[in-house]
Amino acid sequence: MNRSKATLFVLIGAISYGVLSTIVKLAYSAGFDSAAVSGSQFFFGWLMIFILALLTKNLRLSPATALTLMAIGISSGTTGYLYYQSLQTVSASVAIILLFQFTWIGVVIDSLLTRRLPSRPHFLSALLLIGGAILASAAYSSALDLRGTLFGLGAAVSFSIFLLASGRVANHVPVIKKSFYMMTGGLAFVMIMYPPTTFLTTANFEQGLIWYALPLGLFALILPPLLFAAGAPHLSPASVSLLGAAELPTAVICSVLILGEHLAASQWIGIVIILIGIFYPIYVSSLKQTTTSTQRQNDLS
């Protein structure tokens, strides 16, 4: 897979995550709690990936590889759990910016693992993303709750680990099979936190929980893991983290178009800054590749 296609896959995966906050808000407004939303999301998402995985006709993996992928999947479960807990005590704008800290956390973790300082484009991109996130989320106008803040930052760390690990581990395993084992780990964690009896109830389904659970499962557990698993191995971990920043402008735009929320001019400016931060290192990388290719052609001629 070439770099452009891998970049597109990761970008679409991040956009899929951005749709979630709007669906969750709609579910909360319909009267469902975090147990119903998070539990049903993982349950039906896992069922969908299980059906897809059955089509591969061979789900067997070595015990070590299977357990490793399930362990990685737990981080996706903890991300959803911590983020939805954060939304219980802080505003949506604050929760989003707290989760959004995964952009620079991922760069830091990658630097620690590789024992290398981030490149100048990645460092400048991270600064742009943080500044743009503050403006886009308008977090400066909201009071911070300590419990909600800790949950939100915990979700950011968990999401960073998931993004980095999904691109580093078991890249030889077919994408659907890999996603199935990761989501099995995530489901196991969520089932411990939210036993099925708390959300698989007749009352919840009579009230229409399924219409929120299915799209949440699709945009949280099917599309992003498959797209990240396909694209992340062909990109640097820092690039994956930065591309994941597309989640925030997607969340903001969906809240405007679907929920009818109003955005101040500063928030639109923040979104533009975020987009610049996302594509700046990609532009620098493509410029270097073009320059290198031109030099090689000149040398050959």
Side-chain angles (χ1 to χ4, degrees), residues 42 61-79 157-166 169-170 177-190:
F42 265 86
L61 281 179
S62 67
T65 302
L67 289 174
T68 299
L69 290 174
M70 290 175 67
I72 294 173
I74 291 175
S75 63
S76 68
T78 56
T79 299
V157 173
S158 181
F159 191 43
S160 298
I161 293 172
F162 174 75
L163 288 179
L164 296 175
S166 63
V169 177
K177 185 187 294 188
K178 181 177 179 179
S179 296
F180 167 73
Y181 280 96
M182 288 194 295
M183 291 307 99
T184 299
L187 177 69
F189 173 81
V190 172

Side-chain angles (χ1 to χ4, degrees), residues 7 17 28 59 65 131 152 155-156 175 206-207 209 239 273 276 282:
T7 298
Y17 276 129
Y28 283 166
L59 288 177
T65 302
V175 172
E206 287 179 347
Q207 294 174 22
L209 177 62
S239 294
I273 293 174
I276 294 173
I282 299 173

Side-chain angles (χ1 to χ4, degrees), residues 2 65 138 285:
N2 60 47
T65 302
S285 177

Side-chain angles (χ1 to χ4, degrees), residues 25-296:
K25 288 179 183 179
L26 291 173
Y28 283 166
S29 65
F32 299 108
D33 58 17
S34 60
V37 172
S38 185
S40 63
Q41 166 188 307
F42 265 86
F43 180 76
F44 287 102
W46 182 85
L47 283 180
M48 286 187 277
I49 196 66
F50 176 64
I51 292 171
L52 289 175
L54 286 178
L55 299 178
T56 66
K57 299 180 181 180
N58 182 10
L59 288 177
R60 288 180 295 179
L61 281 179
S62 67
T65 302
L67 289 174
T68 299
L69 290 174
M70 290 175 67
I72 294 173
I74 291 175
S75 63
S76 68
T78 56
T79 299
Y81 172 77
L82 293 170
Y83 183 56
Y84 293 163
Q85 287 296 315
S86 178
L87 283 168
Q88 297 295 308
T89 56
V90 301
S91 67
S93 61
V94 172
I96 289 173
I97 194 172
L98 291 172
L99 176 63
F100 197 73
Q101 302 311 303
F102 77 83
T103 51
W104 64 265
I105 291 174
V107 174
V108 170
I109 294 176
D110 179 49
S111 296
L112 292 175
L113 292 175
T114 60
R115 297 182 181 180
R116 287 197 311 244
L117 291 175
S119 65
R120 183 178 179 182
H122 282 145
F123 179 75
L124 292 176
S125 179
L127 292 180
L128 288 170
L129 292 172
I130 294 172
I134 294 173
L135 289 174
S137 300
Y140 49 80
S141 63
S142 304
L144 289 178
D145 173 83
L146 179 59
R147 181 172 178 271
T149 299
L150 293 177
F151 275 129
L153 291 175
V157 173
S158 181
F159 191 43
S160 298
I161 293 172
F162 174 75
L163 288 179
L164 296 175
S166 63
R168 287 175 175 266
V169 177
N171 292 329
H172 64 285
V173 178
V175 172
I176 293 179
K177 185 187 294 188
K178 181 177 179 179
S179 296
F180 167 73
Y181 280 96
M182 288 194 295
M183 291 307 99
T184 299
L187 177 69
F189 173 81
V190 172
M191 291 299 100
I192 292 174
M193 304 308 296
Y194 299 124
T197 52
T198 63
F199 63 89
L200 291 180
T201 64
T202 302
N204 279 338
F205 288 102
E206 287 179 347
Q207 294 174 22
L209 177 62
I210 189 70
W211 301 114
Y212 301 100
L214 290 178
L216 282 173
L218 176 65
F219 288 113
L221 305 177
I222 304 300
L223 291 179
L226 290 177
L227 292 169
F228 279 122
H234 304 280
L235 302 171
S236 70
S239 294
V240 173
S241 291
L242 295 176
L243 285 169
E247 175 185 349
L248 190 141
T250 301
V252 173
I253 292 171
C254 284
S255 68
V256 172
L257 297 178
I258 299 176
L259 301 177
E261 295 184 358
H262 173 72
L263 290 184
S266 61
Q267 291 175 283
W268 286 115
I269 293 173
I271 293 175
V272 172
I273 293 174
I274 288 170
L275 293 175
I276 294 173
I278 292 172
F279 290 105
Y280 172 67
I282 299 173
Y283 169 74
V284 172
S285 177
S286 63
L287 196 63
K288 288 182 179 179
Q289 288 179 353
T290 302
T291 302
T292 301
S293 177
T294 302
Q295 289 177 344
R296 287 178 180 174

